[in-house]
Structures are given as C-alpha cells and as structure tokens.
Amino acid sequence: MSAPSLQRFSVLSRVLHIVVALGFFGLGLTGFTLYFGGTWWAQAIAWCLGGAPGLAWLHRACAIMTYAAVMIHLAWLAYYKLALKGRLTSKDGMLPRAQDVKDLVRHMGWMLGKGELPQFRRFTYWEKMDYWAVVIGINTMGLTGLVLWFPEWFSGFMPGYFINLALIIHLVEAVIAVAIKFVIHLVVAHLRPQVWPADQGIFHGRMSHERIKTEHPGHWQALQEGEGEGS
Amino acid sequence: MRFGTRHHLKRLNLALLLSLALFWAGPGWAEAPPAGEASWFIDMQRFAAGAHGKLSCAECHPAQEKANTSGPLAKRHPDAQDAKYLTASALRGYDYGQCKRCHRVAWERYNQGVHAAALKKGDLTKSGKQPAPVCANCHDPHYGKARRDRVELGRQQTVICGACHPAQAATYLEDYHGQAGDKLGWDQSAFCSDCHGAHDCRSLQKPQQAAKACQRCHPAATPRFAQYVVHPTTVDLGPEDAAKRQRVYLIWALGAVLSVFAACVVGFLYGHSFLWILRELQHKLRRHGK
C-alpha cells in the first residue's frame, strides 16, 4: 500500500469476516440443498456431500463455526469496553443513530437525482445494516436451529407445534439472509460501479485517504478536526 | 448397392414409421398395470421374476364355490361362465383371504385397521371418496418383488398412499422426514408406514398414540412432542380435530406474515440497490463523456 491509508478493520475483524462468509456459504448450500431435495441439482450436491446425514452434519458444523465467530466478536467488544475502557457508542461506532435514517432518505434522494450525497461518516447506514443483519440474524437462526436440532428437549417445556413455527422462521429468514448476503451485500459492497470489481478493504483492512475523502467525507472532516476514530 | 432409389426410400420410410410407432407404443406394453388396475391377463415371465414367482396359480386361485374366510375382503370366485366375468374388477373381486395363509400378521393388522373398517361401512364411492384399498392396491400380487430396500418401498408409499391422500403426501414431502427420506433417499428417515403402520394405517389422532409412533425413532418423545404437525393441512380434519386445526391455522398465519415481511424487506433492498447502480453508472458515464 503505497498511497496513504488508514486502518479500517482489525486483524480479528478480517479473520472473522472470512469465517462468517465461509460458514454462511456452507449453511446456505446445505440448507437449501435439503429444501430443494427433489430437484436434480440438489440431488447432485447431496450426493457429493454424503446425502441427508452428510448435509445435516455439515450444516451443524457450519452453524457452530459461524455462531462461534459472532460470539468471539461480541466477547472482543466486551473486552474492549470493560478491560480496555473503549467507547462503543461514538459517532464512528456500529450503533444505529438517527443520522442513519436521514442518510438513507438523503441517499435515495440522490439516487433519484435530487440533492447531494450525504456526508457519510466512518460506517454508512448500509454497512451498519449488513452488520446488524448478521448479529441479529445469527441469533434467531441459531435459536430456531437449536429447536430443530434438539426437538425432544425443547418440547419438554414448549408445545410440539413450536417446532413447526421454528421451522417456518428458519426457512423464511434463510431466504431473506441469502437474498441479502449473497446478492445485496455482494453487489453493494463489491460489485457496484463505484467499488467494482471488489472492495479489498475487508481483506487487507485499510482504506486510502483518497477513498475516505470521497466516500466517507463526514469521517474525513471529523478526522481533520481531531474528533473521529480512524484506527 | 442402389440405395438411393425410390423403392429403397419407401422401405426406409416405412421402417422409420414402424420404429416410431414401436417407440411410442413400446413403454405402454412394457409397463405393468399400475397398482389398483390389476388385469385379468398375466405376463408369466414377469410373474416368474416376482416375489410369488415360485407359486403355482392354483395356490392362490383355487377353484372355490364360496369364500374361505370372513371379513370385508372375503369374496366368492367369479363365475367363469358369466358373460361379464372379464369386465368385472379383477382387483376388487379377489378373495384376499387366500393371502392370510402365508401373511397372517399382515392380514390380522389389516382387519384391525382403518381401511378394513371403512370397507365394512360399505361402498365409499357413493360419498364421493375412493373405496378403501384392499391388499393388491398396494402390493402387486403377480409382479411385486421381494426384499426391496427401505427407500424404494418408502418412495412407493408416498405415491400409493398419496393417490388417495394427496394433501398428506404433499405436506410429508415438505416436512424434514419427506425431504431427507423420500427426496434425498436417507433410509433412516421415516416413511408413511413407519408412523402410521403398514397394515393397520392408524391416523394417530390421539396424542398418546402419536407419541408412541414418534418414539420409534425419538425415544424421548412425549405426547407434547407429538403435537408437532407433520401434515399441516386441514384436509380430512373432523370436528374432533379442532386442536390440530388451530395449530395448522397458526402455522399458516405465521408463514403468511413472515412471507409478506420477507417480500417487503428484500423487495425494498433490491429496488434500493438497483437505483443505486443506475445512478452510479450514470455518474460514471457522464464524467467519462466530459
């Protein structure tokens, strides 16, 4: 990296991103192979992965891997807050703010040809949405998935037809998750004209001053005024 | 070789037409009559390759004046002199009491089960339903093979049971048991008869009864566990199934609400991304043009 740049993602975040991406891919592949089990392509994939028991094993292995990655991230946040006395609630953090809604409205106005681009800070509203979709989604998928994994134990304290409800939530959320992560996230973070062909920042962790000025002008200004967090 | 002459061409065309006709008709000749439409005519070569291939005709078709058992399946042998003999149903006219000689347990279970009870009530076709199945509706007595594997038998059950219970077959195929067993061929999954029994065919309305069926694979299953709805359909539900009807409605309602939610979220985000890409393309092209 010859151009001046700032660190945007820590080593831990970069590694966890890859783990979550791989785990999520495995979950989607095995889960939808089961759901579309009657089709020729799903039967070909199932045959390669060891049939229904192979799919079940892989799905659970990927689930544990993905869930562990999110838990490690949350443990790091707790350590950062409690032991390192860091701040999680600044304007450059990941918590949603009222400004994000204003940014969304303004951004859509810009798409329709009205007004200027919002002065995005370190993390934009769509990046926060991608982040919270994973943090919340992994928990609802994980909880409903556990009900489907251990139905006997869960029916010890809840009605058996809750297994049906868990299955529906698991299915619909899987459709949403795949539609968002494998299409919206890839397109918005990597494939849209501005960042085409790929945003490598999540892999090497850095963002050039040039890009910060054009894509996160609010953040750049805050850095110049000495109040933004940029490491 | 004068192959290109008109004479040869005519022959060639004829041969082509004939083979096309054979190709079209061939599968029809080769296939067995589907279960439920037994024929009076038997293909002895295929019979010899089946599970009953070592038996002689008379072992199952003795000349009889009257039925040799009682019960709904007992029938007299039709009168061979009767002009309507061959147009009567071969499947419905057979005296299935003969099966009992070798298949005693299956016979007894069938007679304790819901299909025998339905037959006893009389001709169900009058109420618009199919008549309850007899042995040969599910078991091809002449061509059926022995020692088939669980998955093959299970898939056949989905088709045969599903012919009269289509809503149950469809919901089974949407359920994990159907996805893993029928669709992906996992022999440890549950097929129709694993829960309902092959011959008594219980409907498992009572929680205790259903729990017993679950326990065959899920030893810790309780009646509450058995509240899980394998067939979320209201088809065939009676006034005594109000609890299940409520659960099915709840399952459908949640599915509908979540589907609308998913369509809104995904639809908004796809539109958002599409607009965004258009705007950036326009921006790039305009800058390029300057």
Side-chain angles (χ1 to χ4, degrees):
Chain A
M1 297 302 292
S2 51
S5 61
L6 281 182
Q7 184 170 357
R8 184 167 166 77
F9 299 111
S10 69
V11 175
L12 181 68
S13 298
R14 277 132 69 185
V15 171
L16 290 182
H17 173 262
I18 292 175
V19 173
V20 166
L22 289 177
F24 195 80
F25 178 78
L27 284 166
L29 182 76
T30 51
F32 280 102
T33 296
L34 175 73
Y35 186 73
F36 291 106
T39 61
W40 62 270
W41 58 266
Q43 297 198 336
I45 296 171
W47 186 82
C48 293
L49 299 179
L55 289 179
W57 190 90
L58 266 173
H59 195 79
R60 286 155 195 183
C62 288
I64 291 170
M65 192 170 92
T66 313
Y67 200 74
V70 175
M71 288 302 116
I72 289 169
H73 171 70
L74 294 182
W76 153 252
L77 287 187
Y79 177 75
Y80 178 74
K81 173 84 184 159
L82 300 174
L84 302 183
K85 305 290 178 199
R87 234 184 118 204
L88 296 177
T89 53
S90 78
K91 286 180 180 173
D92 289 327
M94 268 298 180
L95 281 180
R97 305 168 62 79
Q99 184 62 39
D100 294 323
V101 181
K102 291 180 198 159
D103 281 357
L104 166 67
V105 173
R106 217 174 146 192
H107 195 207
M108 293 208 68
W110 168 80
M111 289 178 203
L112 297 168
K114 285 178 184 167
E116 293 295 307
L117 269 173
Q119 298 283 305
F120 291 122
R121 289 198 57 129
R122 186 167 175 221
F123 294 112
T124 60
Y125 69 88
W126 70 84
E127 285 161 340
K128 290 184 185 181
M129 198 201 67
D130 263 345
Y131 172 86
W132 284 102
V134 173
V135 174
I136 297 171
I138 195 75
N139 282 295
T140 49
M141 288 306 266
L143 189 65
T144 52
L146 279 175
V147 173
L148 300 173
W149 190 352
F150 304 106
E152 296 98 327
W153 189 79
F154 279 93
S155 72
F157 57 88
M158 57 197 226
Y161 57 88
F162 272 47
I163 302 165
N164 292 89
L165 305 181
L167 189 63
I168 288 178
I169 297 171
H170 204 79
L171 170 66
V172 176
E173 206 185 318
V175 172
I176 298 178
V178 165
I180 289 183
K181 287 295 156 201
F182 288 151
V183 182
I184 303 277
H185 173 65
L186 280 184
V187 165
V188 163
H190 297 291
L191 302 181
R192 74 190 151 86
Q194 183 80 36
V195 282
W196 170 272
D199 185 352
Q200 295 170 32
I202 191 61
F203 302 112
H204 56 57
R206 304 194 72 81
M207 182 174 262
S208 68
H209 288 181
E210 199 54 42
R211 269 193 77 188
I212 299 175
K213 277 182 211 165
T214 54
E215 294 176 33
H216 300 268
H219 185 215
W220 183 253
Q221 198 183 345
L223 285 172
Q224 300 309 306
E225 289 162 9
E227 57 155 306
E229 294 166 35
S231 72
Chain B
M1 290 291 283
R2 295 164 58 227
F3 193 74
T5 63
R6 180 174 291 252
H7 179 69
H8 276 96
L9 272 176
K10 259 188 185 169
R11 271 198 183 175
L12 192 68
N13 281 346
L14 196 66
L16 263 174
L17 273 176
L18 259 178
S19 50
L20 265 178
L22 277 173
F23 185 72
W24 176 70
W29 294 340
E31 267 173 29
E37 287 174 34
S39 164
W40 289 101
F41 303 104
I42 302 303
D43 177 344
M44 290 309 288
Q45 278 195 329
R46 289 184 51 226
F47 172 74
H52 288 158
K54 293 276 193 296
L55 301 179
S56 74
C57 301
E59 280 177 271
C60 302
H61 300 281
Q64 351 159 206
E65 293 305 311
K66 57 177 184 180
N68 70 345
T69 50
S70 59
L73 294 189
K75 289 273 164 53
R76 278 191 65 224
H77 191 277
D79 180 3
Q81 303 300 318
D82 187 348
K84 290 182 177 167
Y85 175 27
L86 288 181
T87 57
S89 166
L91 189 135
R92 292 268 154 198
Y94 182 69
D95 174 20
Y96 290 98
Q98 297 290 341
C99 305
K100 179 186 168 189
R101 294 193 352 249
C102 300
H103 305 286
R104 181 171 198 92
V105 174
W107 168 264
E108 281 165 3
R109 285 188 182 155
Y110 176 88
N111 276 289
Q112 291 160 3
V114 292
H115 286 146
L119 271 189
K120 270 177 208 153
K121 271 192 204 160
D123 185 7
L124 290 178
T125 44
K126 278 175 195 157
S127 64
K129 287 187 187 166
Q130 297 273 340
V134 294
C135 306
N137 280 97
C138 308
H139 304 280
D140 190 328
H142 296 114
Y143 311 127
K145 295 263 195 329
R147 294 184 184 80
R148 292 185 299 162
D149 71 70
R150 259 179 70 74
V151 176
E152 192 191 344
L153 283 170
R155 284 178 171 156
Q156 200 179 36
Q157 285 171 14
T158 314
V159 174
I160 291 180
C161 306
C164 298
H165 305 286
Q168 283 74 13
T171 43
Y172 165 74
L173 287 173
E174 290 291 301
D175 185 74
Y176 179 76
H177 298 105
Q179 288 170 340
D182 187 289
K183 289 181 178 172
L184 292 179
W186 186 37
D187 61 359
Q188 306 285 300
S189 187
F191 301 93
C192 304
S193 64
D194 290 322
C195 307
H196 296 283
H199 294 107
D200 52 0
C201 304
R202 302 280 173 201
S203 73
L204 306 177
Q205 282 163 308
K206 292 179 190 119
Q208 287 291 348
Q209 204 179 28
K212 268 189 181 169
C214 300
Q215 281 161 6
R216 289 179 197 143
C217 300
H218 305 271
T222 58
R224 187 152 58 179
F225 174 84
Q227 290 175 347
Y228 173 65
V229 185
V230 179
H231 302 290
T233 169
T234 54
V235 175
D236 299 335
L237 289 188
E240 71 277 17
D241 302 313
K244 175 170 176 180
R245 189 178 287 273
Q246 296 276 310
R247 285 169 204 154
V248 174
Y249 287 155
L250 181 63
I251 290 164
W252 286 351
L254 183 70
V257 168
L258 287 183
S259 299
V260 170
F261 171 73
C264 291
V265 169
V266 175
F268 171 74
L269 288 173
Y270 274 53
H272 175 268
S273 305
F274 182 69
L275 272 181
W276 194 354
I277 289 171
L278 279 187
R279 186 72 171 90
E280 285 194 356
L281 274 178
Q282 187 233 19
H283 193 70
K284 273 206 163 179
L285 291 174
R286 184 188 278 173
R287 199 170 49 191
H288 193 69
K290 271 179 189 170

